[in-house]
Amino acid sequence: MERIKVSENVSLSRIIYGMWRLTDDMDTSSSHITKKLEACLEQQITTIDQADIYGGYEAEELLGVSLKESGYRDKLEIVTKCGIIAPVGRFKQSPVKYYDTSKEHIYQSVEHSLKLMNIDYIDLLLLHRPDPFMNPEETGFTLDSLVEQGKVREVGVSNFKPYDFSLLQSFMHKKLVTNQIEISIISNDCFTNGDLAFMQEKRLPIMAWSPLAGGKLFDSDNKFLIDLLKEISNIYNTTPAAIAIAWLLAHPANIMPVMGTNSLTRIRALSKACDINLDKQSWFRIYETAMGHEVP
Ligand SMILES: NC(=O)c1ccc[n+]([C@@H]2O[C@H](COP(=O)([O-])OP(=O)(O)OC[C@H]3O[C@@H](n4cnc5c(N)ncnc54)[C@H](OP(=O)(O)O)[C@@H]3O)[C@@H](O)[C@H]2O)c1
């Protein structure tokens, strides 16, 4: 498994396993979560993507029990996020869903994440969403100080546009190391709207959430695309899902897909896409089929 160096200190596995859907699984026992971690580790997938809000603020705790029992923390990089307050779980009294990127909230959220996951530090902390009410000076200072305190090794953002990224970065000493955004064959605006270009200009890798469009890629209304993925997967002797991920890996922007299946069988096959070197013509055939027209 290739590794992507996001900083001098931290590298991530090229394919990342995300735990947004952890509590959708029928089995949320720590032994089952440990099996998922083992299935990842067998393929050298060492990076786990979490967020305080996942599972109604409960997914980090479920992972934490597994980390404690398995002792796998030192084999993994833990990414987590903060900044969204939704009226569920520990915030169920909140009268409204909102974003909070204040110093107080970020500190509290990080303390919760550390405690719930039974870990001493977070490898990479991301602000989950751009906050329309953000005070960039306060938020930037807070992220810098969390790194200085050793609670967080690196910081980044998620769902930020280039202007949000630049604004926050302009108030910080530490470099933001990545942006996690939605990218898949059918969520492909970032290839031309400047989101990827901005990160490439900054020489920064990007994390892709829902790289299979949350499974929608395989819905029957995408028949032309599915047929094409099947055709190409036959040539490469692999699966349509592996081709969909290989399509992201083939792009020069160092995209790190964050995959979210709950199936142990599918987790065990996550790294298959890394063996595929998708050719440029196939890349464009897939892109044009997804757009429904040729490039001009
Ligand atoms: N930063 C953000 O705002 C943000 C937002 C959303 C997600 N994320 C991150 O991205 C991660 C991945 O998101 P995601 O779960 O939507 O990603 P995904 O890998 O695109 O979708 C996984 C979903 O697709 C289904 N699926 C259908 N066919 C599949 C196949 N052949 N192979 C694999 N899965 C298949 C899975 O079902 P089964 O479980 O039955 O296999 C699962 O429900 C999350 O866990 C989270 O860490 C971040």
Side-chain angles (χ1 to χ4, degrees), residues 16-22 24 48-51 54 81 84 126-129 157-159 180-184 208-216 218 239-242 245 258-264 266-267 270:
I16 293 170
Y17 182 59
M19 294 195 158
W20 175 36
R21 298 178 192 273
L22 196 66
D24 297 346
I48 303 298
D49 186 69
Q50 270 278 7
Y54 288 172
K81 317 181 194 76
I84 305 178
L126 307 179
L127 289 188
H128 207 148
R129 294 262 164 193
V157 292
S158 180
N159 301 301
Q180 183 179 127
I181 61 172
E182 182 177 18
I183 318 177
S184 68
W209 62 260
S210 294
L212 297 174
K216 286 200 295 286
F218 305 110
T239 61
I245 299 302
V258 186
M259 308 191 58
T261 178
N262 268 322
S263 146
L264 270 184
R266 284 175 172 163
I267 293 175
L270 288 185

Side-chain angles (χ1 to χ4, degrees), residues 20-199:
W20 175 36
R21 298 178 192 273
L22 196 66
T23 52
D24 297 346
D25 201 343
M26 302 257 278
D27 189 348
T28 55
S29 66
S30 59
S31 60
H32 189 63
I33 294 170
T34 300
K35 279 196 193 125
K36 290 178 175 175
L37 296 179
E38 285 167 348
C40 288
L41 287 169
E42 278 158 24
Q43 306 164 78
Q44 289 86 47
I45 294 171
T46 59
T47 307
I48 303 298
D49 186 69
Q50 270 278 7
D52 57 356
I53 193 176
Y54 288 172
Y57 300 94
E58 284 176 11
E60 288 186 327
E61 188 169 13
L62 292 172
L63 172 63
V65 178
S66 162
L67 290 179
K68 192 171 185 183
E69 289 176 4
S70 66
Y72 288 152
R73 197 279 169 255
D74 292 342
K75 296 181 188 296
L76 300 167
E77 300 84 39
I78 308 288
V79 181
T80 195
K81 317 181 194 76
C82 65
I84 305 178
I85 313 267
V88 292
R90 64 177 185 260
F91 296 108
K92 65 174 175 295
Q93 306 299 349
S94 176
V96 63
K97 183 176 184 187
Y98 66 106
Y99 299 151
D100 193 343
T101 50
S102 66
K103 179 177 162 189
E104 188 185 33
H105 177 70
I106 294 175
Y107 279 160
Q108 270 175 12
S109 181
V110 164
E111 287 308 327
H112 266 106
S113 295
L114 292 172
K115 191 163 162 244
L116 293 177
M117 291 192 279
N118 287 304
I119 59 178
D120 301 325
Y121 63 91
I122 292 162
D123 293 276
L124 174 58
L125 177 73
L126 307 179
L127 289 188
H128 207 148
R129 294 262 164 193
D131 171 5
F133 203 72
M134 180 175 78
N135 175 338
E137 188 172 9
E138 177 180 342
T139 307
F141 169 84
T142 306
L143 295 179
D144 275 340
S145 61
L146 282 166
V147 177
E148 275 158 28
Q149 292 163 27
K151 298 195 184 222
V152 165
R153 293 177 77 196
E154 300 296 340
V155 285
V157 292
S158 180
N159 301 301
F160 271 42
K161 298 304 286 180
Y163 43 81
D164 301 314
F165 190 105
S166 294
L167 174 66
L168 179 60
Q169 185 65 83
S170 73
F171 283 94
M172 293 178 62
H173 299 297
K174 275 292 290 179
K175 291 270 175 242
L176 296 167
V177 300
T178 191
N179 188 12
Q180 183 179 127
I181 61 172
E182 182 177 18
I183 318 177
S184 68
I185 293 171
I186 55 177
S187 290
N188 55 36
D189 291 352
C190 66
F191 292 100
T192 51
N193 72 2
D195 288 352
L196 275 195
F198 174 79
M199 296 300 279

